[in-house]
Each structure stands twice: as structure tokens, then as C-alpha cells.
Amino acid sequence: MENQRIQEAVKARERGNELYKEGHLSQAIKLYTLAADLTPDDPTPLSNLSAASLEAGDYPGCVEYTVKAMSMLKEDPGNAEKTLANINPGKQLESLRGSLTASREFATFSPHPRSLRESLLQLPRTRQGIQDGLEFFACGNDKAESLYTAALAQSSAKDPVLSLMFCGAGDARNLFRTLAEYASASSGTQKLHVTMLDHNSAIAARGLIFLSLMHESVIDVASNDTILLSLCYIYFTQIMPPFAWENLQKTLSKLMDSVVGSLKSWQHGLPTTYEPSQVRDAIAQEISEQYPTRYYREYVKDHEAFDKFRVMFPPTNVLPTLEPDLSSLAADLQNDIRGTQKRIFNHLNTHWKVNATLIDVEWESRRPPNELPYFGQVPFEIIQYLKPRSFAANTSDKGHTYCIMSLAVEFFEKVSLSILKLKGRLMIGIYAGDMMDMLERLRYGHAALDPQDAVAEARESSSATVGWPQKYHVIHTSNIPDYIGGSLTSFLYAGPVLMEGSGTGVTSCVLRNPLQWRTVDHFNAEYLIMHDREGIRKHFLMKLGERDQPSEMPFKMLDFGDMASYHRWEKCRDGALPLEQLMPQPSLSRWLCSHFLKICLPFPRPKWEMASVYAPHNMTVFLRLLVQMAEVGYPGHWLSSLLTSLCSGSITTTARAPRRYVLDHAAADAKYPSRTMNVKPWAPEVSTLATMWRGVLPFAVVAPRGILPSPETIVEYSIYIPPCPASEVTVPHFALAFWDERKWGKAPKCLRLILLDDETGHVQVCIWRVDTWMRLTPSRSMLNAFRRLRTWKECVTSN
């Protein structure tokens, strides 16, 4: 009987060893536990359990089994050497001692955890751009769509506050449509909190003007039509009549204390003053003639006026009141009075004003003389975007009156009345800032979101009754992910601050390069190096949500494919998964190394392709990815081991740097022969970041002495980069490299091939590359280009 139990225990251990080697740790632990139960006096199964528990990240269990095994050694010294060999504490224990010493040293530099986190939040998240070009686009390219869907209404019905965020808010068309839909469908006591966010302060200022004018329109009933028509001119026309200009100036004066910079520039004019005649000429040259023919051709008179004068006449029913002189001229034009067209030109040039809110004021002072200013799209196109099917036009006689502007007035009137209806239940915060920064600050409680700190809050709101949300039901990101890292950015930054439920999630579309992608899975293969939706659910806690209805697309984008319409990813859950549901360590290591190599050595981008796929991530996203993997359940020492290898400058991996411009399913899944690769060119950067992040990582970084730099040696510098022409706008990101020509000769055109240590790289240079990459202070001649700012100690010890 005893021999049978021993044999069964041996078989269980042997099978457990096989599963352990295959990475199936949970199953191996079950078999080791069975072996320990069958032979309670044998320390060997306990040593197996200790090793497997350590590998699975169950560190208390590892200690418990080790103590039990060691206690048995006193009774059976003959097994000591064998058992200690299984536990194998030597090398790891030495690294642990060194790591603990380094951690104590680091702690002396970080007495203020909040200061440490704040300093990390201030680090750049993407590679910096050096091109100088247009960055302000006043009007968007997508259909106005509501975030308040039937599914969201049902899942959030019991929530006291519905919280929505519009990132890259642009002209706020989606916000306005959402307000109209919510006011129409919601009649309870639920409050609505809306955050409007854009990196450009001019966008925030325009949003403030729109909301202020809508608020004014419901207060001043007698001037309602004029105010809303003025809003339409400000919203999307390049040239506006005097009454719209006057309303704009009144609004600017009221709001001057809120958004001083942009508002003052619009009030006092542009650095380079444009005349209406110049703007009309620019519109004629830059805007394709095909757009006006596509939208609302039944509005014949409006199209005739725009084709001749490049302006939008006020509706015929208010034209005599608001523009009596132009009304007479329009009548003469209708009667073919000779010379009328010239007189209309003179009237427009004398009395109408250029809509400065459509122009990138900052760019105007630097715009090359041979480059036309950007004035936005044809107004007919914008009206078509705004006009939902549910808004029925009240206009008739489309063929022989000016009435297209009435459609836009009707839209803004409905939004204005919706805001009035939601009085006491609505708060709108308008912020100018970076989306990634805002989302991460929300996650860690570092966002200064007192309503008084906001650019503006809707006059109807009550901050006492609508608290600032810590999480959001929906985060609308427009097509911002096109530029900052696709779904990897969306999931890492938006995911942690999302609420769960049907209809919730982060929404985005692809407008920069929609034809590059066959499907959303292809899109994820490039940015996540993962296309399997179940794998995405496990590792990023996100799943693709169902669409309530097909997303409407602008006419000009019907050929752009499904990625040009919005997709919504819902938050699945919070918390870690059992290890058996995750990848085994070799697979995780390959996937993480693929991301690391993609960051270090992105595949060269076509220099002059306007729809190129960006590769903007810098090394900080890799640290954030490690944090994500720790939070979903991967053992800390797996992540620490990989990070330590990268910091030492050498990894053994089955991953490779990208071998094609855009990764597809096969490239994302590719597993290459195992190879030891030199990554010393990036070891100084990743090890410096590892030191800086050490105090906030959710796992201990166990590294031998000398691998990570001391915190006191880390210094922040700035470097001056001369302005680059806008013609380089298709090369938006760069990395700074130093090349010693005295030692190595002229730098090659393709540095990537020299840095690439795989089967396709320049193997002949590996010898010096391995030995000479190190952490160095630039030579004295190079120091002239740098300006020392502050040390890491000064960052993290400040209050």
C-alpha cells in the first residue's frame, strides 16, 4: 500500500513537471499537491510546490512550502542538497538583496508619493514632433451622432449621474446632438455631466462661444432668430454679415475673463489681416467645386449665391430686416439689373467680416507666404453633417428663396431648448488639454477638476448637485487614436476610467488612413500586436460593443470602408484573472518583446504618404503595458525578469522588430527562432525609466546591482531643435540619436539596419555595438545644445 502511494506520487510529480515546463502552472500545482498528500513525509513535492507557487506569483504560498520543506531537512539531512536544488535560491536571492538595497536608496528620494506620480505624469507619452504646420481645424468631418443610445439609457437608468466625455471635441457637433437626444428621451431626475476636451485652446474657446450664444437665445426671446443665425455664421461660414459680427463681439466681451488668449485674438483681429475678397479667392482655390454640388442641390438660390460670391446669404424671410442693403441688391440681382454683381462684391468687401474663429491664429504668424490659409469646409457640407434625419425642415420654396441657413438655425434652436430643459441637471466642463494626460490624471486622482478650474461650465449647471465623475459611461475620442497609437492608447488610458454596462465604452473612428485597414481586427493587429478578441478581453478588459444602428457616414467618405465609422469598446471587468486563463510565460515574453522592439525600431514610414500609419509611442508606454499586465494577473517576477533583461541590454526572444509597414494577423502572431539580441542602445533609456517608475510599479523590480542607475544621477535636459518646414508634416515623430563621426565615420542613411540585431541586420557591426553602447554624458561640444533643467530628486521630493 505504501509503495503504491509512492508510485502514484512519483507519477503525479513527473506529470506535474511536464505541465510546469509547458507553463500550465495551475495544473502542475494540483498534481504537486496530490503528490504531497500521498507522501506527507517527503519534502520533494513541497519543493516543487514552492517553485511552482513562485512562478505563478503566489509568493506567500512559496514561502509557506519552502518553510515546510526546510523543516523536514532537519529530520532528513540526506535530502537537503536535492531539495535546495529544486528551490534554487542562490542567484535570485542575491538579486533580491541587491534590489532591496536599491529600493531603500530610492525611497530616500521619494518621500512624497504624490510628487512621484505627478513627475511621471509630466513625462512625454509619445515621441515628439518637430514639424511646424497647421494644427487647428475648426470644423470636423463626421456626421453629428448622439452618444445617448437606447442601450446606454437602459444600463445607466439607475445611475444618479450620466457622465460623458468628448475628446477632440472639435466643433462639438456630437455633443450638441447628444444634448438634444438626451433631453428628448430622459425625463427623470438623472443628472448629465459632460466633459468637452481638446488639446487646442481655440477649440475650447469656440465651444464656449457656441454654448453662450445658445444660452442667450433662450433668454432673449425677441432676438432668438438673430442670435441663432449669428451662431450659424460663426460656426461654419468663412465670411459673416455685420449682425453676426456684432453678436460675436458682444459674446467675446462677456467671456473675456474665461479664455483670454484666443478670445482676444478674435476680438482684435488676426496677426495678418484678411479682407473678405482674399478669403473668397482662397475658398475658390482650395475648396473643391464638387462639394457644393453634392449637398442640398434643391436649394438653388443658396447655391447660386455661394457659387458667385462664396458667402451664405441670410434667409429671405429675415434678409430685409438684418441686411436691408443686401436685400435690395439681391432683388436687383434677381431682376438682372446690370452691375448688381459688382455692387454686391463691394458691399461684402465693405461690411462683411472674416470669421477669425475658423483660422489657426497661432499658425498664421508662421505660415509660409506661398501656403494658403485653411478656412474649413464648404458650409453646405457642414449643414449636411449637422442635419439629422429626425430634424424635419420647416422651409419651403427651396428653389427661389435663400433658406438653407434655416436648417442650421433649426438644429441649434433644438439644442438650445434642450439645454434649457436640462436646467439644474446639466453640467458641461470645457477643458483645453491632452487626452492621454487628462485620462491618466483622472485614473490616479491627479486631475484638478474643480469646476472653477475649468475653462467654462454651462450656466445651467449646479456644481453642488452634479459632482465631478471619477469614471465615465462613454469616452468619445473621435479619430484621435489615428495619431497617438490606435487601440493600445485607447485601452491603456480610457479603459481604467470607464464604467461597465451595455452602451458604455470608448468610441473612435479612423479618418486619417481608413483604407489601410481591412477590419477592426487588422487595426488591432498593428497597434496591439494582438487581434484575437478573446485575448483582448483578457489582457485589456475590453470587448467590442454592438452598434445600436449603423453609423452614418458623410457622402464623401462612403468609399472609406467600415473603419471610417465609429466602433465602441466596452469595459468588461476589473481585477485579475486566474493564471491558467492567461498566456504562458514564453508567449507573454514574446508579445511584450514585440512591443518593445516595435517601439525601438518601428518599420520605416513612407516619407510623403499623407495617409501614413503613425508609430508615435515612446518607451513610457512599455512601462504602462507592464502595469496593465500586472493588474490582469501576471506574476510580478515574470515582468521584473523581462524588465531587468531589457535594462541589462540583452534579451533572448522569439520576437522580432516589425518586418512590414503595417502588421497583419500573421505578422502579429509570428514566432521566430529563439535568438539572443542586443538592445544596449535602449538600455540607458529603459533602465532610467525603470528607476523613475520603481516606486509606483505594482510589482517589485528585482535587479542586480549596477543594472539600474541611482536616482541622483538622473537629470532632465532640454534641447533646442530648429524649426522644420511644414513640408515634413508626414514625418511627425523623431528620435534623437548621437553619432561619433570621428570614430565611426559618416552616419548611414538608415540607422535602423545598424541597430537591428536579427537575421536581417548588419551583423558585422554587432561586435562593437555590444561593447560600446553605454550611459554617457555628451561631450563638452554637444553640451552647448543642452540646457539643464532639474534633477529627478528635485522632481520627486517637491511638495
Side-chain angles (χ1 to χ4, degrees), residues 464-483:
T465 57
V466 185
W468 202 275
Q470 297 302 308
K471 291 194 174 185
Y472 285 79
H473 290 84
V474 181
I475 298 175
H476 181 82
T477 64
S478 186
N479 71 317
I480 295 176
D482 287 0
Y483 297 87

Side-chain angles (χ1 to χ4, degrees), residues 501-540:
S502 178
T504 63
V506 55
T507 64
S508 65
C509 65
V510 177
L511 297 181
R512 175 174 176 76
N513 43 39
L515 296 181
Q516 293 280 8
W517 318 105
R518 296 187 299 273
T519 63
V520 67
D521 298 327
H522 184 201
F523 184 79
N524 288 331
E526 160 64 17
Y527 289 112
L528 300 178
I529 318 184
M530 179 182 290
H531 56 86
D532 173 55
R533 296 185 190 179
E534 180 62 17
I536 292 172
R537 183 190 67 79
K538 292 178 178 179
H539 293 83
F540 294 97

Side-chain angles (χ1 to χ4, degrees), residues 37 156 222 571 618 643 657 751:
D37 292 340
S156 64
K571 179 73 171 289
N618 64 19
L643 183 57
L751 189 60

Side-chain angles (χ1 to χ4, degrees), residues 228-361:
L228 291 176
L229 186 57
S230 299
L231 170 56
C232 295
Y233 275 104
I234 298 166
Y235 191 89
F236 56 72
T237 68
Q238 291 82 8
I239 306 170
M240 66 178 73
F243 69 86
W245 176 260
E246 291 171 5
N247 274 311
L248 173 60
Q249 298 310 308
K250 289 179 183 178
T251 304
L252 293 176
S253 297
K254 293 178 182 178
L255 299 174
M256 195 57 64
D257 293 337
S258 300
V259 196
V260 176
S262 294
L263 297 181
K264 278 189 174 179
S265 69
W266 294 339
Q267 187 178 45
H268 299 297
L270 297 170
T272 302
T273 303
Y274 290 102
E275 297 295 333
S277 59
Q278 294 175 296
V279 175
R280 290 202 309 272
D281 291 341
I283 296 170
Q285 293 182 52
E286 186 165 316
I287 298 180
S288 172
E289 296 289 344
Q290 63 181 324
Y291 289 152
T293 64
R294 287 181 171 181
Y295 307 112
Y296 298 114
R297 286 307 304 172
E298 64 272 25
Y299 292 84
V300 177
K301 297 295 292 183
D302 293 288
H303 275 284
E304 287 179 354
F306 188 82
D307 293 343
K308 289 178 181 178
F309 307 109
R310 296 297 179 186
V311 300
M312 305 294 290
F313 282 11
T316 300
N317 63 327
V318 297
L319 186 57
T321 303
L322 299 178
E323 272 277 47
D325 293 339
L326 181 60
S327 179
S328 299
L329 291 170
D332 291 345
L333 185 67
Q334 179 70 25
N335 295 323
D336 293 326
I337 303 297
R338 190 171 183 178
T340 301
Q341 188 165 319
K342 183 177 180 180
R343 292 199 302 274
I344 292 177
F345 274 127
N346 290 336
H347 176 84
L348 296 175
N349 292 339
T350 303
H351 301 287
W352 284 45
K353 302 291 185 181
V354 175
N355 186 357
T357 72
L358 292 178
I359 301 173
D360 189 340
V361 176

Side-chain angles (χ1 to χ4, degrees), residues 528-530 583-597 622 642 651-656 665-672:
L528 300 178
I529 318 184
M530 179 182 290
M583 288 188 279
Q585 187 176 14
S587 299
L588 175 70
S589 177
R590 182 202 66 81
W591 181 65
L592 289 173
C593 285
S594 296
H595 273 285
F596 178 84
L597 294 171
F622 187 77
L642 175 60
I651 56 173
T652 300
T653 182
T654 57
R656 296 293 185 271
H665 292 35
D669 295 338
K671 182 179 180 181
Y672 297 90

Side-chain angles (χ1 to χ4, degrees), residues 50 97 110 115 117 173 183 460 555 608 696 701 726 774:
S50 174
R97 289 194 181 106
S110 184
S115 296
R117 175 66 71 182
R173 63 184 62 178
E460 293 76 14
F555 184 84
W608 303 112
V696 299
V701 180
M774 59 188 71

